[in-house]
Amino acid sequence: MKNFDTDELAYSNEGLFNRDYFLNQYTEMNFYFEDTGKEYFYEILLGRLLEYKNLGVFCLNGKQSLYKKHEELLGKQENEKSIFIADGDFDKLIGLEMIECENFIYLEKYNIESYLLDIESINTFIQGNFKVSYSKLSLYIDVESWYKKTIVDLSHFFVLYSIQKKLLPDEKIFNFDIIKPNGDILLEKYSEKKSYILGKISDTELDNTIEE
């Protein structure tokens, strides 16, 4: 018997885009996302939030594909049971054209994961991966202190990143080089990246962006 590689079972972009054609007859509501390969995650999440038994979840591999699918279904019967959900990203800040439609939703936060990241979910993740009880977890890490410190540290980078996306969209400045192996944030990288960005823009541009 042939051993299948998981890549052989992956959908092409066209396949991802057209899955709803075949499944639509079996669904009560269809949800479209811009992510890739997160159908299982969204099925669990939506299943806990909604009472529908047969939900169609379609991840289309990119925001442009999401826009294209929305445009394709406009005026069609299938659109009446379709919800499109896009990451907030920095679209509003940057001034990108955004779809205004009852069934097209932009998340208020950067992405859906931002809504799920809290102390409780981190505790659950660590417990599952390290196979420790909640009572023993504090012996390994003070999750609450780490969480609070990390949120503050990352907020500096997030503001800087939003300015870069607005004023220097073609620059590739941010990556995982700001994170230490133990999960702490390299704050010295903040000064380095801030100096680089401020060397590329004027004080007026910076002030105007901050005011927005």
Side-chain angles (χ1 to χ4, degrees):
M1 178 180 292
K2 178 181 178 181
N3 293 321
F4 286 98
D5 190 297
T6 54
D7 288 339
E8 295 183 51
L9 302 178
Y11 291 101
S12 65
N13 286 340
E14 185 177 358
L16 289 172
F17 192 81
N18 293 322
R19 282 177 63 231
D20 58 331
Y21 293 155
F22 303 99
L23 300 177
N24 186 63
Q25 59 184 312
Y26 305 109
T27 61
E28 296 178 70
M29 287 290 295
N30 291 331
F31 287 83
Y32 296 88
F33 298 89
E34 62 179 270
D35 297 291
T36 303
K38 292 185 179 180
E39 285 84 358
Y40 177 70
F41 165 75
Y42 286 121
E43 284 175 1
I44 292 177
L45 181 63
L46 293 171
R48 292 176 178 176
L49 297 174
L50 304 174
E51 296 181 356
Y52 294 102
K53 294 182 178 180
N54 300 309
L55 293 175
V57 176
F58 306 99
C59 294
L60 302 181
N61 191 28
K63 187 170 288 184
Q64 293 306 313
S65 294
L66 190 67
Y67 289 162
K68 183 179 178 182
K69 176 61 71 173
H70 176 262
E71 182 180 4
E72 176 190 290
L73 294 183
L74 278 177
K76 294 184 178 180
Q77 185 176 355
E78 293 87 347
N79 193 54
E80 296 177 4
K81 65 173 186 177
S82 298
I83 303 292
F84 301 83
I85 300 179
D87 291 344
D89 295 331
F90 294 106
D91 293 12
K92 187 174 182 180
L93 173 68
I94 297 172
L96 296 179
E97 184 177 353
M98 301 175 71
I99 292 176
E100 295 184 9
C101 193
E102 289 184 352
N103 67 339
F104 198 103
I105 301 169
Y106 288 90
L107 298 176
E108 290 293 328
K109 295 189 177 183
Y110 185 76
N111 56 27
I112 199 165
E113 288 82 0
S114 301
Y115 291 92
L116 305 177
L117 182 61
D118 56 24
I119 294 174
E120 183 178 349
S121 62
I122 294 172
N123 279 331
T124 302
F125 175 80
I126 295 176
Q127 285 179 256
N129 278 267
F130 291 92
K131 305 296 188 292
V132 294
S133 65
Y134 183 81
S135 60
K136 292 183 178 179
L137 187 60
S138 60
L139 299 175
Y140 295 89
I141 182 175
D142 184 349
V143 175
E144 185 170 356
S145 295
W146 172 85
Y147 177 81
K148 290 180 178 178
K149 179 179 183 301
T150 300
I151 291 298
V152 172
D153 291 347
L154 281 177
S155 65
H156 299 299
F157 284 99
F158 191 82
V159 171
L160 201 59
Y161 180 56
S162 64
I163 293 172
Q164 178 252 307
K165 292 292 288 183
K166 168 82 172 174
L167 301 178
L168 302 169
D170 296 326
E171 295 282 348
K172 303 297 182 183
I173 300 172
F174 291 89
N175 50 47
F176 289 105
D177 66 343
I178 69 170
I179 304 176
K180 295 179 182 179
N182 68 352
D184 288 340
I185 307 301
L186 285 164
L187 292 180
E188 55 267 30
K189 288 286 186 179
Y190 174 78
S191 297
E192 174 188 319
K193 295 178 186 298
K194 180 180 179 180
S195 297
Y196 179 85
I197 291 174
L198 295 182
K200 295 271 189 176
I201 62 177
S202 67
D203 292 339
T204 302
E205 287 179 305
L206 178 61
D207 291 340
N208 290 339
T209 302
I210 293 176
E211 288 179 4
E212 292 176 2

